[in-house]
DNA sequence: TATTGTTATACTCTATAACTATA
DNA sequence: TATAGTTATAGAGTATAACAATA
């Protein structure tokens, strides 16, 4: 490869270098990226998130809160530790989400009478209504995914993904234990 | 449902409320969340990202930069617009990534002789070495995914995911066009 | 001592918008 | 006018660590 001078971006302009042009978009060599699942997992998450967010519109909570609100509606008096475990989020993240939902009047938090460390969450009427409304949008979203994937492949895809998550979670735990 | 007073978190302590306890982790009712793919797509991305990051260790670039570095190694003199298109990232995100890689001595940026607006990227020897090293870790990572998913399901899973991404991207474009 | 939750803080990844320069 | 890239800024979403209250 030809020798190149370093371009110190803070000071110099990039160095000129011949007249070749890079290949256009259609002919980019992605090499092993073509099958690099990490990239597709990221992208799949992104496009699905975007789809759900667009369907929810601006009158609903953000997509990420749907999970927590649904957990609370379906499990009145759920604790924050339980919410964290069920949604794979740190307790500090749960606190922040619950704070926002409480401020929005969607939930209320109580203390357990039997163990005063525990904060229980229940949905308000507004929270229940919001959850129902979001669930309708979620159903549309799931239908879009269903159509995109194809009915014949949907179940297998979901099952495979769950298996993958479980296995990698176990691997991670095993590795952490070795440290 | 019983009447509950609002707890203004900034001032009051949460209200006490009886002695019931929420169900324990094993018995959480996830309702439709059980099949809410959005949650699994997020989680799948997270666990895969974590796995790759752990395999890369701290001597490599972060997982997200592997894609860009690989694109540059395999497509010398690729432009930033092309990198953005191939990695589904905004040009400002690409600039930031390239800046970091240039500072780390992994790439150099040049200007096209034929169109001086275009900045071309090429990998340095160090960049090529880094990419090779990361590619080895990426192969380990892919193998872990392969094992987690099962060889018989791997290809179908990847294909389905690509189809899903493409379809949802098209849907998004179509919706944007309607605005 | 261990657990539940809160808070302050910070990190990662990313995009938007206004800009410069080039075409 | 349009395009390539830069910069300043912001914002989502999340976690870490130190902490108070309670067990």
């Amino acid at each position: 490869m030809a020798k190149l001078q370093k371009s110190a971006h803070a000071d110099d302009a990039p160095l000129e270098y011949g007249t070749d042009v890079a290949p256009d978009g259609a002919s980019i060599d992605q090499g092993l990226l073509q099958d690099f699942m990490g990239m597709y997992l990221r992208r799949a998450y992104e496009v699905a998130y975007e789809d759900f967010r667009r369907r929810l519109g601006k009158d609903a909570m953000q997509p990420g809160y749907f999970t927590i609100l649904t957990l609370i509606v379906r499990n009145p008096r759920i604790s924050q530790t339980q919410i964290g475990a069920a949604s794979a989020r740190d307790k500090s993240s749960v606190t922040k989400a619950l704070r926002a939902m409480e401020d929005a009047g969607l939930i209320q938090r109580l203390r357990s009478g039997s163990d005063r460390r525990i904060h229980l969450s229940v949905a308000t009427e507004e929270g229940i209504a919001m959850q129902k409304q979001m669930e309708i949008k979620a159903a549309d979203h799931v239908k879009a995914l269903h159509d995109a994937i194809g009915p014949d492949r949907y179940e297998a895809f979901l099952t495979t993904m769950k298996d993958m998550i479980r296995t990698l979670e176990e691997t991670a735990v095993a590795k952490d234990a070795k440290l």
Side-chain angles (χ1 to χ4, degrees), chain A residues 59-61 69-70 72-73 101-108 122-135:
Chain A
D59 294 335
M61 298 244 83
L69 184 55
T70 299
I72 295 169
V73 166
M101 291 188 214
E102 191 175 36
D103 287 346
L106 301 176
I107 65 162
Q108 288 179 332
V122 294
T124 61
E125 283 185 24
E126 291 86 350
I128 292 169
M130 170 67 82
Q131 197 279 335
K132 272 188 186 141
Q133 180 203 317
M134 289 178 84
E135 191 166 310

Side-chain angles (χ1 to χ4, degrees), chain A residues 82-95:
Chain A
Q82 290 172 325
I83 291 170
S87 60
R89 290 291 156 250
D90 185 82
K91 59 200 161 86
S92 65
S93 301
V94 173
T95 295

Side-chain angles (χ1 to χ4, degrees), chain A residues 154-172:
Chain A
Y154 190 87
E155 282 306 322
F157 183 71
L158 189 55
T159 302
T160 301
M161 198 153 50
K162 287 182 187 177
D163 290 347
M164 190 198 98
I165 293 165
R166 185 165 22 78
T167 305
L168 261 61
E169 277 174 343
E170 285 162 8
T171 307

